[in-house]
Amino acid sequence: MGTAFFNKFSDHLRRQNDLVNDGWKILRFTYDDIKDRPRSCQQQLQQFMGRWAGAGKGDGSGFQQLNVLEREIVRMASRRVHPFGISEIKVWLDVQRQTAAKLASMLLEKDWIIPHGLGDRGKQLYTLNRTKEILF
């Protein structure tokens, strides 16, 4: 195989690693699998979505113990590259600012999010504590 093939392969792996490092979840399927074995691909996607929706087994002290709104904030934060604030939580969940602030405070206490500093308007920003194990 030629150098061009290895360069393309290397670039592909680097791009995938960047996505993983940015918090993306990646499932890989070949064209042939999708075309010839769509049911198998569908089952894999359903299994992934079951875990993503919080149906995975928990140990009683982690992700499964969060309430549904807290879990949704953790899910959304896990897909973000940039820090977020109370205003983003408010929009994500369509809740009042006071509710968004209370949810952020609860996630801070439970160590699911960590302070990231102040935004351009002096508002506190947060990021996901990526040391936590999330069973989506």
Side-chain angles (χ1 to χ4, degrees):
M1 295 190 201
T3 305
F5 171 81
F6 288 112
N7 287 340
K8 269 180 134 176
F9 182 69
S10 180
D11 287 344
H12 174 74
L13 293 179
R14 244 189 313 275
R15 281 193 309 272
Q16 180 175 328
N17 289 343
D18 288 341
L19 289 171
V20 170
N21 286 332
D22 287 342
W24 288 81
K25 309 290 185 234
I26 299 174
L27 294 177
R28 299 175 62 168
F29 301 97
T30 65
Y31 173 78
D32 288 338
D33 280 341
I34 294 169
K35 185 177 80 148
D36 299 334
R37 292 172 285 286
R39 181 68 183 133
S40 174
C41 296
Q42 182 183 24
Q43 288 171 335
Q44 292 252 333
L45 285 167
Q46 287 173 336
Q47 183 178 17
F48 170 78
M49 293 304 292
R51 288 186 61 123
W52 183 84
K57 64 179 181 178
D59 64 359
S61 63
F63 184 72
Q64 299 305 315
Q65 294 305 108
L66 299 177
N67 71 44
V68 67
L69 294 177
E70 291 170 330
R71 284 195 307 243
E72 195 58 27
I73 293 168
V74 169
R75 282 190 196 101
M76 289 184 227
S78 73
R79 289 179 261 161
R80 287 186 62 93
V81 176
H82 303 291
F84 60 93
I86 300 298
S87 57
E88 283 88 2
I89 295 172
K90 180 181 176 292
V91 171
W92 286 341
L93 301 178
D94 192 24
V95 296
Q96 297 294 319
R97 181 167 183 72
Q98 183 178 3
T99 303
K102 182 177 180 182
L103 289 164
S105 177
M106 291 165 48
L107 287 171
L108 272 168
E109 285 178 26
K110 296 174 183 177
D111 201 32
W112 279 95
I113 60 175
I114 53 177
H116 186 80
L118 300 178
D120 57 351
R121 294 186 180 171
K123 304 288 184 179
Q124 179 64 56
L125 297 177
Y126 307 95
T127 57
L128 183 66
N129 181 353
R130 298 215 182 254
T131 64
K132 291 283 204 173
E133 183 177 0
I134 306 169
L135 297 175
F136 288 139

